[in-house]
Amino acid sequence: MTRYGSRRQGREPLVGTREYAAVVVARNRLGARTGAVEPPSPQFTSGAAAAYQWALGGTERSPVTGNGSAEGVPGLQDLTAEVDAAVVQMEDPTSAAGPRDYHRGVHDALAWVCGHSNHAP
């Protein structure tokens, strides 16, 4: 697994395609969602929090596959692979609602981090 601290010249490090501080803000806002039509399930929030924590280099193991052994921020390739793994788990017809929501939280958070979505959960 490739982990590194990507830094643009004179700027703060990137997490995927996002600035480190933006990912920290998204993680911190998870529990503070107001005005939502339907608040996310606790499992969704847990998955998104785990994804952000891993993407920020705060945990060694990825939230879906459990891959990892290096320190630092995971590279874009590893982040994208984890998004793909979350999709596989979400599409499993035998998956119960709770785990599916967890994987959707991971997916949505990492899809935003990777630049595949404009919406941070």
Side-chain angles (χ1 to χ4, degrees), residues 27-98:
R27 181 196 61 196
N28 293 343
R29 287 185 178 168
L30 272 175
R33 297 284 183 214
T34 58
V37 176
E38 182 177 330
S41 72
Q43 294 88 354
F44 177 92
T45 302
S46 177
Y52 286 140
Q53 189 67 20
W54 174 67
L56 290 166
T59 58
E60 184 177 303
R61 299 284 175 194
S62 62
V64 176
T65 63
N67 287 334
S69 61
E71 294 181 17
V73 175
L76 186 58
Q77 182 177 358
D78 297 322
L79 292 163
T80 303
E82 199 70 5
V83 171
D84 293 343
V87 169
V88 169
Q89 293 299 315
M90 289 185 321
E91 292 178 349
D92 181 355
T94 64
S95 179

Side-chain angles (χ1 to χ4, degrees), residues 5-15 17-21:
S6 175
R7 183 179 293 273
R8 296 171 293 166
Q9 187 173 5
R11 296 200 176 164
E12 67 181 34
L14 291 178
V15 178
T17 63
R18 307 292 176 179
E19 292 186 357
Y20 189 94

